[in-house]
Amino acid sequence: IATDHGRDGIRCNAIAPGWTRTEMVNAAFEMSEDPAAAAADAIASHPVGRLGDPSDIANLATWLASAESGFVSGSIFTIDGGLTAGSPIGA
C-alpha cells in the first residue's frame, strides 16, 4: 500500500505492540501458578522496567494519524519497551 498508493497521499504503517497491560495479559498471568511472580518476571524482562500501557499504543497511533508524521510510510513500529532489542535472536 505504501509503495502503490503513496503518490495518492495514502500512507501505510503498522504498530506491533508487545506486552501491554490489558485484560488479556492479566488473564494470562492469572492462569499461572503464581500470578504475581509471572507478572514480575514479565516486567523484569523489559529493559524499561514495565509493561506497556494502552496509552503507549494510542499515542503512537495518534501521531501516525497526524500531519506531523506526513513523511512516515511503509514502517513497522515495535512498541515493546526494548524487549525485542534485547533478544539474543535479534542481536
Side-chain angles (χ1 to χ4, degrees):
I1 293 171
T3 57
D4 292 342
H5 299 288
R7 292 192 187 275
D8 301 323
I10 297 170
R11 298 181 295 123
C12 180
N13 295 290
I15 299 173
W19 288 78
T20 304
R21 188 60 81 169
T22 62
E23 288 187 27
M24 184 175 78
V25 168
N26 291 338
F29 293 147
E30 291 301 320
M31 290 177 14
S32 172
E33 196 171 299
D34 184 347
D41 287 346
I43 291 167
S45 68
H46 290 76
V48 299
R50 67 177 181 90
L51 299 183
D53 186 77
S55 66
D56 295 317
I57 312 309
N59 289 338
L60 176 59
T62 300
W63 179 76
L64 285 171
S66 76
E68 291 178 347
S69 67
F71 194 61
V72 179
S73 191
S75 297
I76 300 171
F77 293 85
T78 302
I79 302 179
D80 68 357
L83 184 66
T84 301
S87 169
I89 296 172

